[in-house]
Amino acid sequence: PVLVFYSLIHNTVSPQVLATISGATLLAIACFLLIGATVLRLSGLPLRVYLPSLSFPNTGNLGLPLSLYAFGETGLGYAIAMFAIVAVSNHTIGQTITAGRGHWREVLSNPVIPAVVLGILVGYFDVALPVWLDNTLELLSGLTIPLMLLMLGTSLARIPVTALSRSSLLALLRIGMGVVVGLVIAGLFGFTGAERGAFVLQCAMPVAVYNYVYAQMYHSQADEIASLVVVSTVISVITIPLLLLYLMD
């Protein structure tokens, strides 16, 4: 939440570009939901179990560090905007799909959502924070990205893996449709440079760990989702360098 808030109030990307990125991200999520639902229905797999994992990539723990290291501070600004949209969508739409009904108290208590709202308001109205508070937020946000990588590694180390063959196919679907949808939408919106790179990279991220957390909370075959998280992340070790090689060419 601190990284999201601080990045939104200090983002050098224009509000118009951020709005465009946000719209493109919403369109990408809609495409992921549509493609995922179609494939799952054709294959006879339950939407409640698998659809959130196919639709909401790991744009936080993995996507933000990679966007920063590959495309610099500018790329991180675009990636933060995407992360905010995906996080809010995952904590609302994704959680509702997994639970089978809305749990709005849990949704509103998630700290990422107020961080997004406050960050947009403070940035839009150009509110000047006290120097001590701004410096504190800068320090905490700077620690967030390495901590995200540590948390991702810790989470993956504790997650069991089952149903390897099905998880591998669904993981390839998650990453593959992310690449295709990302490239198509980036072309439609005319994204170039770091904007295009960060957008496509975020779309092609593996399954977010939060999907496993929600599967556990709502007893939605958590072991299956655990396998999907781990397998898709392992596969991304191969796909991400190849994608970066293409995007940075």
Side-chain angles (χ1 to χ4, degrees), residues 33 63 80 83 99 129 160 164:
L33 287 167
I80 286 285
F83 167 62
L129 299 179
L164 187 59

Side-chain angles (χ1 to χ4, degrees), residues 26-47:
L26 288 172
L27 178 58
I29 292 173
C31 291
F32 296 153
L33 287 167
L34 178 60
I35 296 171
T38 301
V39 173
L40 291 173
R41 286 198 179 279
L42 291 175
S43 59
L45 296 174
L47 270 65

Side-chain angles (χ1 to χ4, degrees), residues 3 16 22 26 49 72 81 90 94 100 107 109 121 139 149 182 189 219 230:
L3 176 63
Q16 293 80 7
S22 298
L26 288 172
V49 175
N90 198 357
V107 169
S109 65
L121 291 176
L139 178 63
L149 292 173
F189 280 77
H219 310 290
V230 175

Side-chain angles (χ1 to χ4, degrees):
V2 174
L3 176 63
V4 171
F5 177 76
Y6 184 81
S7 298
L8 286 174
I9 66 174
H10 287 283
N11 206 323
T12 57
V13 181
S14 69
Q16 293 80 7
V17 173
L18 286 178
T20 303
I21 284 282
S22 298
T25 304
L26 288 172
L27 178 58
I29 292 173
C31 291
F32 296 153
L33 287 167
L34 178 60
I35 296 171
T38 301
V39 173
L40 291 173
R41 286 198 179 279
L42 291 175
S43 59
L45 296 174
L47 270 65
R48 179 191 170 199
V49 175
Y50 296 104
L51 186 56
S53 296
L54 294 176
S55 305
F56 302 104
N58 190 349
T59 55
N61 300 66
L62 196 56
L64 294 184
L66 287 172
S67 297
L68 172 63
Y69 299 141
F71 305 106
E73 293 290 341
T74 303
L76 179 62
Y78 298 130
I80 286 285
M82 292 189 66
F83 167 62
I85 297 297
V86 172
V88 171
S89 300
N90 198 357
H91 297 320
T92 53
I93 300 171
Q95 183 177 358
T96 299
I97 293 173
T98 303
R101 60 187 179 89
H103 288 262
W104 298 109
R105 181 176 297 178
E106 288 87 345
V107 169
L108 295 175
S109 65
N110 191 296
V112 172
I113 294 178
V116 171
V117 175
L118 288 174
I120 292 174
L121 291 176
V122 172
Y124 181 78
F125 290 105
D126 198 21
V127 178
L129 299 179
V131 175
W132 65 267
L133 178 57
D134 193 71
N135 289 340
T136 301
L137 292 174
E138 181 181 13
L139 178 63
L140 292 175
S141 65
L143 293 172
T144 302
I145 286 182
L147 286 175
M148 281 182 163
L149 292 173
L150 290 172
M151 289 171 60
L152 176 61
T154 301
S155 299
L156 293 177
R158 297 179 177 179
I159 293 177
V161 177
T162 60
L164 187 59
S165 59
R166 179 164 57 238
S167 297
S168 298
L169 292 174
L170 291 175
L172 290 173
L173 173 62
R174 155 89 290 279
I175 295 172
M177 73 173 175
V179 173
V180 174
V181 170
L183 288 172
V184 170
I185 293 179
L188 289 174
F189 280 77
F191 294 158
T192 58
E195 186 178 18
R196 175 177 180 266
F199 182 81
V200 177
L201 182 64
Q202 287 283 62
C203 286
M205 287 294 102
V207 178
V209 179
Y210 254 115
N211 295 302
Y212 170 61
V213 174
Y214 286 141
Q216 278 190 316
M217 286 176 60
Y218 302 114
H219 310 290
S220 181
Q221 298 186 33
D223 289 345
E224 293 279 342
I225 305 306
S227 298
L228 191 48
V229 170
V230 175
V231 172
S232 65
T233 304
V234 171
I235 291 175
S236 71
V237 173
I238 300 172
T239 59
I240 288 173
L242 294 175
L243 180 59
L244 286 175
L245 186 64
Y246 169 74
L247 293 173
M248 299 177 71
D249 186 13

